[in-house]
Amino acid sequence: MTTTDSPTTDSPTTTTTATAQDDTRTGDTMDTASDTATAPTAPCPPSAQHATTPAPAPDGERMRRWRMVLGADSAEATGCTLTGQDVAMDGALEALYGGGGKKPGGRGGGGRSAGLGASAPSVARWLGDIRTYFPSSVVQVMQRDAIDRLGLSALLLEPEMLEAVEADVHLVGTLLSLNKAMPETTKETARAVVRKVVEDLEKRLESRTRATLTGALDRSARISRPRHRDIDWDRTIRANLKNYLTLPGADGEPDTGTVVPERLIGYGRASQSVKKDVILCIDQSGSMAASVVYASVFGAVLASMRTLATRLVVFDTAVVDLTDQLDDPVDILFGTQLGGGTDINRALAYCQSQISRPADTVVVLISDLYEGGIRDEMLKRVAAMKASGVQFVTLLALSDEGAPAYDHEHAAALGALGAPAFACTPDLFPDIMAAAIEKRPLPIPDREAQP
C-alpha cells in the first residue's frame, strides 16, 4: 500500500468525488496519472487548500471541478489541465470511473494500458491512495463502487486487502456474504475488521438507546402515589389544571395563581425484574445486509438491559435462534448466512411460539417482505399476535439508506392490520422501540409516504 504525507482534501474535493460517481464517467478501468491529459490546454488553478497563491477565480475553480468530474477526455473542452496533487487525485478517480472500454485485468483499445485490473498489489496501492487524498466518507463510497463495478469481492478474501480497506457497514455485509468461501488464513483478519465496525456502532448507538428505553420502561410503570422524587410534574400539572386557584396579591401586588394537585402522577422506580420481552426477527436475504449488521448491534444493547428479555431470530427459508450469542454481535454476524430465499411465515411461527406474555411483548420484523412462504398464513399470524396484545413493528430496513425494494402488496396488507411497514434509520430505532414499549403511536417518518 502506498501512502504519502499529503493532507486530506476539503469540501471542494469531496463534492467533486461524490459527483464523479455520475454516469459521466463510465467504464471499468483506469489510465495512469501521466496519461490524464493530452490536449494543449492551460493549467487548472490549484485547489484552495494546496494553493501557494491567492485563491483562484470562481470561473477557474468551476472549470477545475468540471475537469475532475468529467475526466481526462474533457481537458480540451474545459480548457485546463490538472497540476500537482490534483493529477494523482484524478488518477485515483480514473481508476474507478474512467473510460477506455476495458474490463478488469484487460486492456482497452484506446492506447491506455494501466488500471486496477484484478491485481491485488495495484488495488492495495489504489486503496492507500484514496485514503490519502479523500475523506473517510468518500473513501467508503469509492470502495463500495470498486467492489460493485470492478468485481473485486474475491480480493477481500486476502488478509492484506482487508488490512488496507476502510471498514464500514457495507464492507461488513460483503464479508458476511463471503464468509463460507473465506479461507482460514483470512477469517481472523475479517473478524477484526467486523469487530472494529461493531465497536464503533456500539459507541454511537448504545448510550442513547439505553437512556431512551430506560425512560420508556419507567414510564410504562406509572404509579398514582409516587414519592416526591418520582413525580412526573408535567403530567401532574396537566391533570390538575381544573384545580387552578387565583390568589389576590398583597399590598397592591398583582394577583397570582397556583395549581392545587389533587392527584399526583409519577413513575415507578426501575427494578431488576424483566418488564418487557423483545423479539427481533431479521430477514437475512442478501439485500438486508446492512439491516442485519445494525440489528445485531441493537440486539446486543437490548440484551444488556436487565429489564428487557431480548430474543434474536434470523431467517431465510430456515429459522435460526441466535439469542445465546447476544453478548457478542460479532458472533451473531458470523452466525448469519446472507442470501437465499425467504419464509417469513415460518419465522413468525417460531417467534409466536416463544411468546409467553403477549401484553408485555414487542415483536420487530425486519424484512423487505418478499415472502416465499404462505402469504395468508403470515398475515393471520400477525393478526393473531396483535389481537393477543403484542406490539408488532414492521421495518422494511434498519439502515441509513432508506427503504429498499420491497413487496408493496404485503406492506399494504400489514398496514391494514395496524402494523404499518416503513424504513427506519439507526438513530430513530430507539424512539420506535420506546413508543412500542409505552404502547404509543409509532413515530413513523414521512407517514404520508408510507404504504
Side-chain angles (χ1 to χ4, degrees), residues 292-303:
V292 171
V293 175
Y294 281 114
S296 299
V297 173
F298 276 118
V301 173
L302 298 181

Side-chain angles (χ1 to χ4, degrees), residues 33 49 260 392 405:
Q49 180 172 342
V260 179
F392 195 94

